[in-house]
């Protein structure tokens, strides 16, 4: 298993995003409860987010993230996924 740093850069009407947010949060909650999502949260005043995942491969993670309601609704304009190997500290 590898760690991956994912950035979400939001691109959507805030009111429309607010309508979909509960299903997006539930999607992320289920990934966190399964252990795949290690930590996540908003960044840059809420215009983006940083998410750290544990997955077998980038391709597997991308397939999973394609099911995020924010992604399917078109609210994520950019979503870089990078394998990440931290040198210091840990994510428990």
């Amino acid at each position: 298993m590898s760690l991956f740093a994912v950035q979400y850069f939001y691109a959507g009407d805030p009111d429309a995003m607010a309508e979909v947010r509960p299903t997006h949060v539930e999607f992320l909650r289920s990934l966190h409860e399964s252990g795949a999502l290690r930590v996540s949260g908003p960044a840059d005043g809420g215009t983006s987010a940083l998410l750290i995942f544990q997955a077998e491969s980038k391709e597997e993670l991308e397939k999973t993230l394609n099911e995020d309601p924010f992604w399917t609704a078109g609210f994520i304009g950019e979503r870089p996924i990078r394998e990440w190997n931290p040198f210091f500290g840990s994510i428990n």
Side-chain angles (χ1 to χ4, degrees), residues 29 32 63 65 69-70:
R29 180 177 287 118
H32 183 262
K63 183 178 176 182
L65 294 179
F70 267 12

Side-chain angles (χ1 to χ4, degrees), residues 4-79:
F4 294 88
V6 179
Q7 290 177 279
Y8 279 2
F9 294 96
Y10 298 124
D13 173 64
D15 292 333
M17 289 178 71
E19 291 180 28
V20 177
R21 184 167 281 109
T23 56
H24 162 72
V25 169
E26 186 53 41
F27 172 79
L28 293 179
R29 180 177 287 118
S30 71
L31 292 176
H32 183 262
E33 289 172 354
S34 76
L37 176 60
R38 304 302 298 273
V39 63
S40 70
D44 301 320
T47 61
S48 65
L50 178 63
L51 308 95
I52 305 297
F53 286 92
Q54 187 168 20
E56 289 291 332
S57 68
K58 180 179 178 178
E59 293 76 22
E60 174 192 292
L61 179 56
E62 186 171 16
K63 183 178 176 182
T64 297
L65 294 179
N66 285 345
E67 298 175 21
D68 186 330
F70 267 12
W71 180 259
T72 59
F75 296 142
I76 301 171
E78 197 177 340
R79 186 187 68 190

Side-chain angles (χ1 to χ4, degrees), residues 74-89:
F75 296 142
I76 301 171
E78 197 177 340
R79 186 187 68 190
I81 301 171
R82 295 180 180 92
E83 190 167 357
W84 183 49
N85 185 21
F87 283 157
F88 300 101

